Amino acid sequence: MSRTVYVNGEYLPEEEAKVSVFDRGFLFADGVYEVTSVLGGKLIDFGGHAKRLARSLSELEMDAPVTEEELLEIHRQLVSRNDIDDGLIYLQITRGAADRDFHYPADTAPTIVLFTQSKPGLADNPAAKAGIKVISVEDQRWGRRDIKTVQLLYPSMCKMAAKKAGADDAWLVEEGKVTEGTSNNAYIVKDGKIITRELSHDILHGITRAAVLRFAQEAQMVVEERAFTIDEAKDADEAFVTSASAFVMPVVEIDGAVLGDGKPGAVATRLREIYLDESRKTAI
Ligand code: PMP
């Protein structure tokens, strides 16, 4: 069955959903995106994603083509028209189509596209029970990782390198310290303390990260926001990653070193439960 896709004000069958070859998203990766999870037909942390989108657009001096209320309505329409129970909504906004020029064009209407991906049982991913394996790779991305742009080729290369190495994902390392995962924020747990890199231009300010750290503090867990090395991670009691689509995902192996007993740790498991419970309560 054909999905309904939103393109520049219209709800279209996916075969008819098209953008121009002159679109700057295509020519310059001049665009930003968001991914919002849907559980039980409801949006998880929509407000956080909308806020980060506004910031990404403003950092790139791009106009928002729709208001936050309109954006919410489009998300809801797509959930309903595509009958999404569990899944994801992908949103991309680019600077629009214009003659190729490195300078930002004046008066070009932005392009806005949203589509859904159905993922039945998204919250019951079997990987969360087994935990995932990661490898470390050099972080060669640009210096403004806090802006959620569509330049995802390097993360894509790293995910392929992980796959070839028999792992599930990669952790990016810069100047000897872990920045984050290819598409998630990275954490270790040592002696009960949760350690994750502090916010800066070096990492994406994860919406799930913000929620998980808040829930951890509310549950009296100790959180330390600082960078850590791969050696420190290999020696940790447990590790995990967070993102809107994976929620809290335990990591059980780093560069071949098995953490703890090789099973998801107690802190990651507990935080996953709390995150899913609390997020379902506030889903809209
Ligand atoms: N870091 C990177 C590089 C990412 O691509 C993502 C997911 N988009 C995240 C962190 C996690 O962010 P969020 O929790 O908002 O999905």
Side-chain angles (χ1 to χ4, degrees), residues 246-268:
F247 311 117
V248 177
M249 181 61 69
V251 171
V252 292
E253 198 180 299
I254 301 172
D255 282 343
V258 174
L259 304 188
D261 60 1
K263 297 205 180 78
V267 172

Side-chain angles (χ1 to χ4, degrees), residues 52 141 148 180 182-185 204 206-208 242-244:
R52 183 173 61 190
R141 298 173 301 161
K148 197 165 168 59
E180 58 186 331
T182 56
S183 62
N184 40 60
N185 292 113
L204 186 75
I207 301 306
T208 320
T242 63
S243 73

Side-chain angles (χ1 to χ4, degrees), residues 60-218:
L60 295 181
E61 299 170 41
M62 255 189 236
D63 292 331
V66 289
T67 64
E68 186 172 332
E69 293 83 78
E70 287 166 338
L71 202 56
L72 177 58
E73 176 56 20
I74 300 167
H75 278 71
R76 286 191 164 143
Q77 281 287 333
L78 287 178
V79 167
S80 142
R81 289 175 190 233
N82 293 327
D83 206 10
I84 302 294
D85 187 29
D86 290 348
L88 308 170
I89 302 195
Y90 177 85
L91 150 80
Q92 182 170 327
I93 297 175
T94 76
R95 204 180 302 275
D99 258 10
R100 188 174 181 280
D101 181 350
F102 283 85
H103 300 104
Y104 300 165
D107 307 327
T108 297
T111 299
I112 173 167
V113 171
L114 285 92
F115 60 80
T116 56
Q117 289 190 180
S118 175
K119 304 252 178 202
L122 182 62
D124 306 313
N125 185 346
K129 302 229 160 49
I132 60 165
K133 300 175 184 178
V134 301
I135 58 164
S136 60
V137 293
E138 192 61 30
D139 196 340
Q140 294 180 356
R141 298 173 301 161
W142 78 324
R144 288 302 307 272
R145 300 156 194 156
D146 57 310
I147 311 175
K148 197 165 168 59
T149 74
V150 295
Q151 311 172 63
L152 295 177
L153 184 55
Y154 189 65
S156 175
M157 288 168 70
C158 296
K159 289 243 193 223
M160 287 309 296
K163 195 172 179 184
K164 283 180 191 150
D168 304 289
D169 206 350
W171 277 11
L172 303 161
V173 177
E174 188 170 58
E175 292 171 359
K177 304 272 174 63
V178 173
T179 49
E180 58 186 331
T182 56
S183 62
N184 40 60
N185 292 113
Y187 309 72
I188 57 173
V189 181
K190 184 72 181 174
D191 300 327
K193 195 186 288 173
I194 300 165
I195 302 162
T196 193
R197 197 177 176 104
E198 72 281 5
L199 295 180
S200 70
H201 289 175
D202 298 338
I203 64 168
L204 186 75
H205 300 191
I207 301 306
T208 320
R209 177 190 184 279
V212 164
L213 293 187
R214 194 174 68 244
F215 296 143
Q217 269 148 357
E218 282 169 13

